[in-house]
């Protein structure tokens, strides 16, 4: 009686990590964890990533399930023959396997079926499709590449078509070689082929489903109690919706375009904006040039009218004398003389005389007069405002044309028609120069019109 009670107490106190393995008890602890093994070339289910670590749907699922069951574990990724050997010898406790094929010899299977393996064919884009069903494998003229110990491999062996199969232990290299050479045919698990095509960005192959028997991918172990616990934990995770994100991550790959480098985005933006900016600048320049040309035309016309008036009414001596001949008193005296003789002059001449004085004292443009020595002789009121200066002081200081307009004329005749602009305070003054000559083509002076 005491022995029976002791056995019952031991059963109640038995930890959750203890499961029967065949006829013996297997207790999973930190020092003796559960050993999960899987194949190293079953993309996207189990493989070794670029960091050399186990990765894939199976790995994430096992970690989630065993953490839910609070079972200490280790994950080992090996070649499929090594996994088969460890499961057979008992060095491994748990794996995934197809119920059909060699898996039936390794142990017990779970009731749940996490995945179904369907088959597809990968062919070059440049070649026609010749395999649409399993029966076509019997009649093909060329061999097909199959993964070692895959469902298709087992079925071809069972049907006696082993001569038609090229067995590959690394389908990633096989599918890349097919993409590059455009030669060959591959038959394998649909999701594995799809994942490899997306992962390696293979654009020269076509994936086509094949009418073939499918395989059930289940948990496999020698411990039925372990499989029962995993079945229940798997159903609980499904009911809670915790597996949806995991399935989306691994089983439904979406080809993501790599991000463009920042410099490429900048170049693309500039390529769009540059023509617009150039067009805007051209329109602005054309508009400004048109305004400057119109302004220059007005100045040139005014200058011509002044010169004609000067030659007609003022005489050559007005421009050939000394600096005093261009004083303000002289201009006033000439203006009075012109006004007193307006009635005696012909209409066109009187108009020109009045036009000359109205232009010189106009508020619209500044006018400077320089003698043959290049020194300022006179200027109107508007010129003083534009240059923010005292005209009388400029005359007293014998300010020359080069100093005032920052030019370098050694010969004043070269100033004829010169155009430019200078900065005066916060404003920009545009100007045009015009030389005045007598009837003998002798230089009399320089007019400078400013706006």
């Amino acid at each position: 009686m005491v022995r029976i009670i002791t056995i019952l107490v031991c059963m109640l106190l038995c930890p959750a990590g203890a499961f029967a393995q065949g006829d013996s008890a297997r207790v999973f602890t930190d020092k003796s964890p559960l050993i999960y093994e899987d194949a190293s070339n079953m993309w996207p289910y189990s493989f070794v990533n670029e960091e050399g670590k186990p990765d894939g749907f199976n790995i994430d699922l096992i970690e989630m399930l065993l953490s839910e069951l609070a079972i200490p574990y280790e994950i080992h990724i090996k070649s499929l023959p090594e996994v088969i050997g460890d499961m057979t010898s008992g060095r491994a406790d748990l794996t995934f396997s197809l119920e059909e094929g060699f898996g039936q010899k390794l142990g017990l299977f779970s009731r749940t079926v996490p995945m179904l393996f369907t088959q597809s064919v990968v062919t070059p884009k440049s070649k026609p499709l010749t395999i649409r069903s399993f029966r076509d494998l019997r009649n093909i003229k060329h061999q097909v590449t199959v993964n070692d110990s895959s469902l298709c491999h087992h079925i071809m062996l069972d049907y006696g078509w082993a001569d038609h199969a090229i067995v590959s232990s690394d389908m990633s290299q096989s599918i890349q070689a097919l993409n590059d050479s455009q030669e060959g045919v591959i038959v394998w698990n649909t999701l594995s082929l799809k994942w490899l095509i997306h992962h390696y960005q293979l654009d020269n192959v076509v994936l086509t489903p094949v009418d073939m028997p499918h395989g059930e991918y289940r948990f496999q172990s020698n411990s039925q109690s372990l499989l029962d616990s995993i079945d229940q934990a798997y159903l609980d995770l499904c009911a809670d919706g915790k597996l949806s994100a995991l399935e989306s991550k691994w089983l439904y790959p979406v080809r993501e375009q790599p991000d463009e480098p920042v410099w490429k985005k900048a170049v693309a933006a500039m390529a769009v904006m540059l023509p617009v900016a150039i067009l805007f600048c051209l329109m602005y320049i054309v508009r400004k040039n048109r305004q400057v040309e119109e302004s220059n035309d007005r100045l040139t016309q005014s200058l011509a009218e002044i010169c004609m008036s000067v030659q007609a009414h003022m005489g050559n001596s007005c421009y050939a004398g000394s600096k005093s001949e261009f004083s303000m008193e002289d201009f006033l005296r000439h203006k009075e003389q012109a006004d007193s003789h307006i009635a005696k002059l012909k209409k066109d001449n009187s108009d020109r005389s009045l036009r000359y004085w109205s232009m010189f004292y106009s508020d619209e443009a500044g006018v400077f007069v320089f003698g043959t020595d290049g020194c300022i002789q006179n200027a109107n009121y508007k010129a003083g405002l534009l240059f923010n200066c005292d005209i009388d002081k400029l005359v007293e200081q014998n300010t020359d044309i080069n100093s005032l307009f920052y030019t370098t004329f050694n010969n004043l005749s070269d100033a004829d028609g010169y155009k430019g602009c200078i900065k005066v305070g916060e404003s920009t003054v545009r100007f045009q120069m015009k030389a005045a000559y007598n009837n003998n083509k002798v230089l009399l002076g320089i007019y400078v019109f400013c706006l």
Side-chain angles (χ1 to χ4, degrees), residues 8-81:
L8 292 174
V9 171
C10 290
M11 292 178 62
L12 292 173
L13 296 178
C14 183
F19 298 91
Q21 182 178 8
D23 297 331
S24 62
R26 173 80 162 94
V27 179
F28 303 117
T29 64
D30 292 336
K31 294 183 179 181
S32 180
L34 180 148
I35 302 300
Y36 172 81
E37 291 190 1
D38 212 333
S40 58
N41 58 354
M42 278 296 296
W43 306 273
Y45 304 103
S46 63
F47 59 95
V48 178
N49 61 24
E50 296 176 354
E51 299 176 356
K53 297 180 179 180
D55 207 353
F57 176 83
N58 293 1
I59 308 305
D60 288 352
L61 178 58
I62 287 297
E63 290 177 344
M64 188 180 295
L65 289 170
L66 297 183
S67 297
E68 189 80 10
L69 295 171
I71 299 176
Y73 62 91
E74 289 182 4
I75 295 177
H76 299 163
I77 297 295
K78 299 182 178 182
S79 65
L80 185 56

Side-chain angles (χ1 to χ4, degrees), residues 171-431:
M171 292 298 280
S172 66
Q173 293 183 359
S174 299
I175 195 171
Q176 290 181 76
L178 187 150
N179 181 78
D180 297 336
S181 67
Q182 292 292 284
E183 294 291 340
V185 178
I186 293 177
V187 180
W188 195 28
N189 171 45
T190 301
L191 285 180
S192 296
L193 292 172
K194 184 180 294 186
W195 191 91
L196 289 173
I197 291 172
H198 284 273
H199 180 74
Y200 291 108
Q201 306 285 289
L202 305 179
D203 297 320
N204 298 323
V205 296
V206 178
L207 179 71
T208 307
V210 178
D211 183 11
M212 289 181 59
H214 65 267
E216 295 181 347
Y217 206 39
R218 299 171 183 260
F219 300 102
Q220 188 176 46
S221 175
N222 289 319
S223 173
Q224 186 61 54
S225 58
L226 174 60
L227 292 174
D228 292 341
S229 298
I230 288 178
D231 281 337
Q232 186 59 50
Y234 182 83
L235 294 175
D236 292 341
L237 290 176
C238 288
D240 295 338
K242 294 181 179 180
L243 295 181
S244 298
L246 191 62
E247 292 174 350
S248 299
K249 174 183 176 182
W250 292 110
L251 305 184
Y252 307 102
V254 177
R255 183 167 183 173
E256 297 180 357
Q257 297 295 335
D259 291 337
E260 291 288 342
V262 176
W263 68 268
K264 286 189 177 181
K265 294 181 179 179
V267 169
M270 290 178 62
V272 174
M273 297 301 298
L274 189 60
V276 178
I278 291 175
L279 180 61
F280 176 80
C281 291
L282 288 176
M283 294 176 62
Y284 177 80
I285 292 172
V286 170
R287 181 181 178 186
K288 284 296 183 182
N289 287 341
R290 185 180 295 113
Q291 292 176 348
V292 170
E293 289 176 359
E294 292 176 353
S295 175
N296 290 338
D297 290 342
R298 290 196 299 269
L299 288 175
T300 302
Q301 181 64 27
S302 300
L303 184 61
E305 292 178 354
I306 290 174
C307 291
M308 292 174 63
S309 300
V310 169
Q311 292 178 2
H313 301 294
M314 307 285 309
N316 295 335
S317 62
C318 180
Y319 300 95
S322 65
K323 174 182 65 177
S324 60
E325 292 179 345
F326 283 89
S327 64
M328 185 64 69
E329 289 78 8
D330 290 330
F331 277 104
L332 291 175
R333 184 176 68 255
H334 287 307
K335 182 178 183 302
E336 291 175 357
Q337 293 175 357
D339 292 339
S340 64
H341 290 87
I342 286 176
K344 299 178 182 180
L345 295 174
K346 294 181 180 180
K347 185 176 185 302
D348 59 342
N349 288 338
S350 61
D351 286 344
R352 289 178 179 175
S353 177
L354 290 174
R355 190 179 298 118
Y356 166 75
W357 291 109
S358 64
M359 284 298 301
F360 190 82
Y361 291 101
S362 171
D363 291 332
E364 295 181 359
V367 182
F368 288 89
V369 181
F370 293 87
T372 55
D373 58 356
C375 295
I376 187 171
Q377 302 271 313
N378 210 334
N380 65 359
Y381 176 74
K382 180 64 174 181
L385 290 179
L386 289 174
F387 280 76
N388 193 25
C389 63
D390 187 335
I391 301 300
D392 292 334
K393 288 185 178 180
L394 294 180
V395 174
E396 292 175 1
Q397 296 171 359
N398 292 326
T399 304
D400 63 272
I401 191 170
N402 289 331
S403 300
L404 189 58
F405 291 95
Y406 303 104
T407 53
T408 57
F409 297 122
N410 294 322
N411 187 350
L412 283 183
S413 297
D414 296 336
D416 190 22
Y418 183 81
K419 303 175 184 179
C421 60
I422 57 175
K423 194 76 173 179
V424 180
E426 298 296 328
S427 303
T428 299
V429 178
R430 299 193 303 276
F431 62 89

